[in-house]
Amino acid sequence: QVQLEESGPGLVKPSQTLSLTCTVSGASINSGHYYWSWIRQHPGKGLEWIGYIYYTGSTYYKSSLESRTTISLDTSKNQFSLKLSSVTVADTAVYYCARLDRTTSEAVYFDYWGQGTLVTVSS
Amino acid sequence: DIQMTQSPYSLSASVGDRVTITCRASQSISSYLNWYQLKPGKAPKLLIYGASNLQSGVPSRFSGSGSGTDFTLTISSLQSEDFATYYCQQSYITLTFGGGTKVEIK
């Protein structure tokens, strides 16, 4: 069974960098066809895709967040990470990591998710 | 970006009711449409992928239909564990979600 678990500080000060890690079990992040993703949900709002990384290290980010976002892999620990720089209160959200399945060209979907972790930006 | 519009924003229903949620894309997305169930404190769950394919392990009371710009998620007989928020998501061009539909107990 594939499981993902987010970890990291729950409180970040404005202008600092938000850093989260997703630990994957039951699957290798080195496998093809899967893209390792970050998604967030602002309080009381909908879901927003942030970006993803492929096992080759290739990344793709939402255009409006690209300048502040870095997603990286640690294959030795089967983990991937999110860094979001220069945060403001608008970055307060529940952050989810998820696996994006692109096994077929006919359907692309998030098949496994973590439970999410709340990150609050406040001084 | 492709905008995804869900309706209704919320609905109240009873156990056993048939529930329908709609999702409209701002442009054609073929069948690149997925549905998820979110409950507080739990990992989101994939229900339907490719507009109409039931994810393994998901009860058959859930079904999806549509193509192009208009899609539907149907729960044929609502169960107590189905009270949750449902999101559509397109994967045709980048990845965007609808605003969600909260299904509440009547």
Side-chain angles (χ1 to χ4, degrees), chain B residues 19-96:
Chain B
V19 169
T20 299
I21 299 168
T22 63
C23 180
R24 174 165 287 176
S26 59
Q27 66 182 78
S28 178
I29 58 170
S30 184
S31 295
Y32 289 88
L33 191 284
N34 310 309
W35 290 97
Y36 302 89
Q37 179 191 68
L38 269 72
K39 294 182 178 180
K42 299 189 75 174
K45 182 180 180 181
L46 172 68
L47 301 174
I48 303 286
Y49 65 92
S52 61
N53 300 287
L54 191 69
Q55 172 68 345
S56 176
V58 173
S60 59
R61 62 181 180 272
F62 290 93
S63 63
S65 64
S67 67
T69 60
D70 294 307
F71 301 86
T72 299
L73 173 70
T74 300
I75 309 172
S76 60
S77 178
L78 196 68
Q79 300 302 299
S80 57
E81 60 265 32
D82 301 335
F83 292 99
T85 303
Y86 295 85
Y87 288 88
C88 61
Q89 175 250 322
Q90 68 82 20
S91 53
Y92 185 69
I93 297 176
T94 66
L95 302 159
T96 52

Side-chain angles (χ1 to χ4, degrees), chain B residues 11-23:
Chain B
L11 65 91
S12 296
S14 301
V15 171
D17 285 352
R18 181 180 182 89
V19 169
T20 299
I21 299 168
T22 63
C23 180

Side-chain angles (χ1 to χ4, degrees), chain A residues 30-62:
Chain A
N30 261 331
S31 59
H33 303 300
Y34 301 114
Y35 292 70
W36 304 95
S37 310
W38 289 97
I39 296 155
R40 69 181 181 180
Q41 183 175 29
H42 294 101
K45 303 290 187 181
L47 296 162
E48 178 184 33
W49 169 72
I50 298 169
Y52 58 59
I53 188 165
Y54 195 44
Y55 79 100
T56 58
S58 296
T59 53
Y60 191 53
Y61 304 125
K62 180 176 181 176

